């Protein structure tokens, strides 16, 4: 991104109250939710977008060559897709939500680690503001 002056944004997402799903229904049900979540990401994202499980119930997405505005549109589509219907499990349908933190280079001379840290701070803002929403990092 720095070398070729291309935009770069990162989304860090966390499944809201995922521990409660595992505690109430067991990890196999939680695993089904994780799999269905990744399926929903694939329904919204392009093949060139990078998606990874970032930890436990967190995911990270690098939407290819997306500035802040483009990444925000991606985040909003993801949020809409996750909220569009319940997650089907062996214990029945579960309403699952996610919180999303977004950070973009926007000309800043920082590395990926700092960009991820900014997205994580934005994720924390989304969580504390009530969950099930997108928050953009503001310096």
């Amino acid at each position: 991104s720095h070398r070729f002056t291309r935009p770069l944004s990162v989304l860090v997402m966390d499944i809201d109250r995922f521990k409660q799903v595992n505690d109430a229904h067991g990890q196999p049900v939680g695993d089904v939710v994780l799999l269905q979540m990744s399926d929903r990401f694939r329904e919204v994202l392009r093949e060139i977008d990078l998606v990874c499980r970032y930890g436990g119930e967190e995911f990270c997405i690098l939407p290819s060559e997306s500035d802040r505005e483009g990444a925000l549109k991606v985040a909003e589509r993801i949020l809409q897709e996750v909220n569009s219907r319940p997650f089907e499990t062996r214990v029945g349908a579960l309403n699952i939500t996610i919180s999303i933190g977004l950070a973009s280079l926007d000309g800043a001379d920082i590395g990926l680690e700092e960009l991820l840290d900014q997205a994580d701070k934005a994720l924390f803002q989304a969580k504390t503001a009530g969950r099930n929403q997108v928050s953009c990092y503001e310096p």
Side-chain angles (χ1 to χ4, degrees), residues 69-89:
E69 183 180 316
L72 182 56
K73 288 178 184 176
V74 170
E76 289 169 345
R77 285 194 314 261
I78 290 169
L79 197 64
Q80 182 178 12
E81 180 62 30
V82 169
N83 288 317
S84 70
R85 62 193 182 281
F87 287 66
E88 296 300 329
T89 72

Side-chain angles (χ1 to χ4, degrees), residues 4 9 29 40-41 46 51 54-55 60 81 88 98 107 111 119 123 133 136:
F4 298 109
S9 296
V29 170
R40 292 188 190 197
F41 294 157
R46 304 166 294 182
V51 181
Y54 193 51
C60 181
E81 180 62 30
E88 296 300 329
I98 60 170
L123 172 62
Q133 60 188 284
C136 297

Side-chain angles (χ1 to χ4, degrees), residues 2 7 21-22 26 29 49 65 68 72 76 81 88 95-97 100 102-103 105 108 110-112 122 134 136:
H2 287 299
V21 172
N22 278 341
V29 170
D49 296 330
E65 294 195 24
R68 180 184 171 121
L72 182 56
E76 289 169 345
E81 180 62 30
E88 296 300 329
N95 291 314
I96 303 293
T97 62
I100 304 173
L102 185 158
L105 280 182
I110 60 172
L112 183 58
V134 179
C136 297

Side-chain angles (χ1 to χ4, degrees), residues 1-138:
S1 177
H2 287 299
R3 181 184 297 164
F4 298 109
T5 60
R6 301 280 193 210
L8 178 65
S9 296
V10 63
L11 305 173
V12 174
M13 297 165 291
D14 184 73
I15 300 175
D16 297 327
R17 297 181 173 92
F18 186 70
K19 184 180 181 327
Q20 291 177 357
V21 172
N22 278 341
D23 289 350
H25 307 294
Q27 286 184 319
V29 170
D31 289 345
V32 167
V33 170
L34 290 170
L35 288 169
Q36 289 183 31
M37 186 67 69
S38 64
D39 289 341
R40 292 188 190 197
F41 294 157
R42 279 193 291 268
E43 291 176 24
V44 172
L45 298 170
R46 304 166 294 182
E47 284 187 34
I48 59 174
D49 296 330
L50 179 63
V51 181
C52 64
R53 189 168 170 197
Y54 193 51
E57 70 277 7
E58 286 190 339
F59 294 87
C60 181
I61 294 178
L62 293 169
S64 182
E65 294 195 24
S66 293
D67 60 10
R68 180 184 171 121
E69 183 180 316
L72 182 56
K73 288 178 184 176
V74 170
E76 289 169 345
R77 285 194 314 261
I78 290 169
L79 197 64
Q80 182 178 12
E81 180 62 30
V82 169
N83 288 317
S84 70
R85 62 193 182 281
F87 287 66
E88 296 300 329
T89 72
R90 66 176 170 79
V91 297
L94 300 176
N95 291 314
I96 303 293
T97 62
I98 60 170
S99 298
I100 304 173
L102 185 158
S104 298
L105 280 182
D106 292 333
D109 189 23
I110 60 172
L112 183 58
E113 187 174 323
E114 188 170 345
L115 188 64
L116 285 167
D117 184 56
Q118 290 176 355
D120 198 50
K121 288 176 182 173
L123 172 62
F124 181 75
Q125 290 172 343
K127 290 281 192 185
T128 58
R131 297 179 172 83
N132 194 30
Q133 60 188 284
V134 179
S135 179
C136 297
Y137 176 78
E138 297 293 337

